[in-house]
Amino acid sequence: MEIRLPNTVNPARPQKVPYRRIATEEAWAPQEMLDIYNKILGHADADAGFRGLMGFYMSSPSERARHIMRCLTDLDQLRLQHMDEAGIDQAVVAITSPGTQVMDKATAVSFARSANDELADAVRRHPTRLAGMIAIAPQDPAAAAQEIERGVTKLGMHSVIINSHTQGEYLSDPKFWDIFAAAEAHDAAIYLHPNALPPSMLHPFQQCGLDGAIYGFGVETGLHALRIITAGVFDRFPKLRMVLGHMGEALPYWAYRLDYMHQATVKSQRYASVQPIQRRPSEYLRQNFWITNSGVAWEHAIKFAQGFLGEDRVMYAMDYPYQYAPDEVNLLDGMDMAPEVKKKFFQTNAEAVFKLR
Ligand code: MN
C-alpha cells in the first residue's frame, strides 16, 4: 500500500455529521497574562525561546500574528463564530504556551487561580460550546496540587494543562510529584503541551528555524513524556492519565526502539538515571496516555496511532488559532473509517477523557 500525504483538500464548509466534533487542544490568552508577559519581555535577559515565541506573536505587525492575538484573547463571539465556520461543536480550551511557566513563582500561583476563574466564567457563558483545562504553576507543586483540587471540585474542570518544561526543569524530578499525586487523586488528565525550547536546546534548532511547531516543540515535548515514563512516574501513580498532542509527539512511531533500547540500557547499567521500571515504555504509552491529532490531519498517521494505542485513545484536536483550518475538518470527516470509530475520534473519547457532560 502506498501512503501519500493528502494533497487535495475540500474547501467546502464542513457538513452535518452524525457526531459532535470536539476539538481538544484549543488555546486562549487572558489579557492579564499578556500584561505579565510584556513585563517579562521588557527585561533584556528574558528567556530566548519565550522571546522567540510569544515575543513574536505579541509584537509582530504581520497579519497572521495580529489575527492570532485577536483569536487568542477571545472566548466569546469571535471564537464561537470560527467554531461554527469550522463545524466545531465544542472546544476544550487551555491557556496558551508557556502559560504560567515563564513567570516567577508568586506571580504564577496567583495568575493560575485568576485565569482558571476567568475560563470557568466563559464555560458558564457557553456551557455546550466550551470546556476548560486547569492552569497550574509547576514552580510551586503544593500550590499546583491545591489548584488541581479546586479546579476539579469547584470549577468542574477535569484536565490540567502543563506546557512542557518549566524554566528548563522537567516533571521527571520527584520534587514535582505532588502534581501527579493530585491529578491521580482527582482523576484529572494532564495534557502535556509543547513549550518553546529551553536555552540548553535552543541553538541548533533556532539556527535553522526548526525550533517551533514545525519540529522542535515535538522533540522537546516527546523527550519530556519519555523522561516521565523512564523516571517511574507511572509505577508510582499507575492511574495517572496523560494526553499528548501532535500524534503523541511521534512517540508511537518510536515505540519498538524505545522498548529495545530501554531494556538494553538498564542491563548495561550505563546510567544511574535508567533503572528498571515495571512495564515496557510502550506499555505506558498504551495504558496511561491518550493522544490527539492536533496539527496533523493525516488519516494514515491517525490509523497507525489507533492501531497502536487503541481506537479509544486517539482524539481530534485543531490547535486553534495556530492551525485554524476548516478544510482539515472536511478531510477528517472523509476518512475511510468505520462510523463508530470516527465518532470515538471526534466525540466520545474526548467526552470520556475530559469528562464533558
Ligand atoms: Mn497547541
Side-chain angles (χ1 to χ4, degrees):
M1 180 183 60
E2 187 183 5
I3 291 183
R4 292 170 185 250
L5 284 158
N7 55 10
T8 50
V9 169
N10 179 354
R13 207 168 154 138
Q15 301 298 301
K16 253 197 111 41
V17 286
Y19 42 81
R20 295 173 68 235
R21 300 188 193 90
I22 302 174
T24 57
E25 190 199 295
E26 316 308 305
W28 79 295
Q31 189 56 50
E32 181 186 356
M33 181 168 88
L34 300 179
D35 294 342
I36 297 168
Y37 283 1
N38 270 323
K39 277 190 206 149
I40 295 171
L41 291 165
H43 294 281
D45 61 349
D47 177 78
F50 174 63
R51 192 179 289 287
L53 177 64
M54 285 312 287
F56 168 76
Y57 280 114
M58 290 170 64
S59 66
S60 166
S62 71
E63 179 47 37
R64 172 173 159 86
R66 287 168 54 204
H67 178 71
I68 282 186
M69 292 311 299
R70 278 195 295 276
C71 296
L72 277 175
T73 46
D74 184 280
L75 285 174
D76 293 284
Q77 201 178 342
L78 182 64
R79 185 172 297 253
L80 297 189
Q81 180 199 322
H82 286 160
M83 288 167 62
D84 290 341
E85 286 166 5
I88 303 302
D89 295 284
Q90 189 168 17
V92 185
V93 175
I95 199 148
T96 203
S97 190
T100 65
Q101 290 166 246
V102 75
M103 301 174 188
D104 68 75
K105 188 195 287 192
T107 305
V109 169
S110 83
F111 166 70
R113 287 182 63 95
S114 67
N116 290 330
D117 288 338
E118 191 176 337
L119 184 53
D121 282 345
V123 174
R124 266 180 231 114
R125 290 195 299 276
H126 310 292
T128 62
R129 305 302 306 279
L130 302 181
M133 294 189 208
I134 304 161
I136 60 167
Q139 297 92 322
D140 187 336
Q146 280 179 10
E147 190 59 9
I148 290 171
E149 177 177 12
R150 191 181 78 95
V152 172
T153 61
K154 301 285 200 301
L155 304 180
M157 301 184 194
H158 298 279
S159 58
V160 179
I161 180 72
I162 299 184
N163 289 297
S164 197
H165 72 91
T166 302
Q167 299 171 31
E169 294 195 299
Y170 288 87
L171 301 172
S172 47
D173 185 330
K175 77 178 184 183
F176 291 112
W177 290 10
D178 281 356
I179 296 169
F180 295 135
E184 188 189 49
H186 294 285
D187 195 29
I190 293 178
Y191 202 121
L192 191 69
H193 182 277
N195 191 353
L197 299 186
S200 54
M201 281 181 77
L202 188 60
H203 179 68
F205 288 85
Q206 200 172 44
Q207 193 177 36
C208 54
L210 296 176
D211 54 303
I214 185 173
Y215 186 65
F217 287 1
V219 173
E220 197 270 343
T221 309
L223 168 72
H224 196 164
L226 280 179
R227 289 182 65 132
I228 289 168
I229 290 171
T230 57
V233 165
F234 297 105
D235 294 341
R236 175 75 179 73
F237 306 103
K239 295 202 167 100
L240 180 63
R241 302 186 292 133
M242 294 198 82
V243 184
L244 287 170
H246 319 102
M247 298 316 308
E249 312 296 3
L251 294 182
Y253 217 75
W254 274 94
Y256 184 97
R257 197 150 214 252
L258 291 171
D259 284 356
Y260 187 93
M261 283 298 172
H262 184 263
Q263 194 178 43
T265 309
V266 168
K267 275 192 188 147
S268 68
Q269 301 182 340
R270 186 169 163 191
Y271 300 96
S273 57
V274 182
Q275 295 298 321
I277 48 178
Q278 289 171 12
R279 294 176 259 157
R280 289 180 292 179
S282 67
E283 291 175 304
Y284 299 100
L285 286 173
R286 298 172 67 182
Q287 293 162 8
N288 293 91
F289 283 83
W290 283 254
I291 72 175
T292 79
N293 79 312
S294 49
V296 185
W298 192 14
E299 177 174 347
H300 295 292
I302 291 165
K303 285 180 169 170
F304 178 81
Q306 287 173 328
F308 174 62
L309 290 149
E311 61 197 33
D312 294 336
R313 288 180 179 267
V314 184
M315 295 179 282
Y316 172 66
M318 174 176 272
D319 206 8
Y320 177 88
Y322 299 103
Q323 194 161 338
Y324 177 66
D327 51 358
E328 292 180 349
V329 177
N330 258 330
L331 197 68
L332 294 168
D333 280 337
M335 288 190 293
D336 179 18
M337 187 177 287
E340 63 273 18
V341 179
K342 210 179 281 182
K343 185 171 181 172
K344 287 182 178 190
F345 172 74
F346 270 108
Q347 177 186 341
T348 51
N349 291 346
E351 289 172 337
V353 169
F354 299 100
K355 302 188 188 183
L356 307 177
R357 277 158 299 161

